[in-house]
Every structure is written in structure tokens, then in C-alpha cells.
Amino acid sequence: MTGKRVSYTLDSTLESVNTAEQTAHRMADKAGFAEDERHRISMAVREAAVNAVLHGNAYDPQKKMRVSFENTGDALVITIADEGHGLSECDVPDPLSPDNLLKQSGRGIFLIRSFMDEVRFRTLQPGTEITLIKHVRGPSADPTEAHK
């Protein structure tokens, strides 16, 4: 399924977050990822979509979230953009810092980075775009080699 691309422009609602998460699971399945990887990809997309809707757009009905999924054959590339005030990656606190360990939020980007192979941020005017990349590995790929 090389070259398959799906894009949405969605409202700033939790229903839109669910749509993004479900689409991520379907696209990861079609790309050949195992169930545990599909779950990680879906969770990363959910976290990024929640950030876009909640933190970026602040549930503003006038603002949209754009989501695209592309299977390049080598990777599943997911881009999520909001129309909010923007985010500087260096302003995101470290969730593993002792001061942040007991906070109930602030772990989304940490989880996204843990679940995906590459994560990129780009400042838009207005908003923030996050690109999540998960490389496709063949069934014979050695997972220890892939993470070196």
C-alpha cells in the first residue's frame, strides 16, 4: 500500500481526536505494523491530537485541526496541525524532572517521542505542526538493530 495518503480538516472536538486515533490504527494496520505497534502509533496520534485541540486551539469552534497520514512504503508519516498560538518545543517541561513527576499533565510529548521513531515540530502562522514518523520494518528486521 505504498503512496497511500489520507487527510482531514477537523473541528476542535474530542470526536475529532477519536477520528484521528482510529484512522491512525487503520493506516498502521494497512502498513503492516503488528498490533502492539499499531497501539503505540494510535496513542501517539491521540496525544498529538489532544494537544492540538486542547492546548493549541483551546476547543475554539472557529479553529480547525488538520491531520494527514501517508504510507510512503518505508514509513508511516502523520502530520497534525492546529491554528492556535503556537508552541516552542523548548518550553515543554521535562515530565521526568522531580518537580513534574506528580503533575497530572505534561507527558504527552514524552509519550509521543517514546512511541515514534521521529518527531518534528514546526511553527506555523498561526499554530503548530507536529510530524510523527514510524519506520516500516520487515518481519525479519532485528528490533535491536533498528533502535541503534
Side-chain angles (χ1 to χ4, degrees):
M1 185 166 170
T2 304
K4 179 71 174 161
R5 183 176 171 87
V6 176
S7 296
Y8 298 105
T9 299
L10 301 166
D11 293 328
S12 294
T13 64
L14 286 179
E15 183 177 313
S16 295
V17 170
N18 293 338
T19 298
E21 179 182 19
Q22 292 163 1
T23 303
H25 196 275
R26 281 195 309 273
M27 292 292 290
D29 183 42
K30 290 179 181 177
F33 289 100
E35 179 59 35
D36 61 335
E37 286 298 310
R38 291 194 302 264
H39 179 69
R40 288 184 193 101
I41 292 166
S42 298
M43 287 300 299
V45 168
R46 181 170 193 82
E47 289 293 337
V50 165
N51 284 348
V53 167
L54 172 65
H55 301 296
N57 291 345
Y59 293 114
D60 183 339
Q62 301 301 314
K63 295 180 180 177
K64 301 296 181 188
M65 172 178 62
R66 290 178 315 286
V67 185
S68 70
F69 302 86
E70 183 176 10
N71 178 349
T72 67
D74 295 325
L76 182 58
V77 179
I78 303 152
T79 303
I80 299 172
D82 63 59
E83 297 176 340
H85 53 79
L87 165 77
S88 173
E89 190 177 357
C90 16
D91 291 339
V92 177
D94 177 5
L96 300 180
S97 165
D99 293 340
N100 298 327
L101 285 177
L102 298 178
K103 290 186 178 177
Q104 294 190 19
S105 65
R107 291 171 182 77
I109 292 174
F110 176 79
L111 290 174
I112 292 166
R113 288 188 185 287
S114 298
F115 293 157
M116 302 303 288
D117 294 324
E118 295 178 53
V119 178
R120 301 179 190 148
F121 289 88
R122 187 167 70 110
T123 302
L124 305 175
Q125 298 299 326
T128 302
E129 176 184 88
I130 184 171
T131 300
L132 315 176
I133 300 170
K134 189 68 170 180
H135 298 288
V136 177
R137 294 175 178 86
S140 62
D142 179 357
T144 57
E145 286 298 314
H147 284 46
K148 288 185 179 177

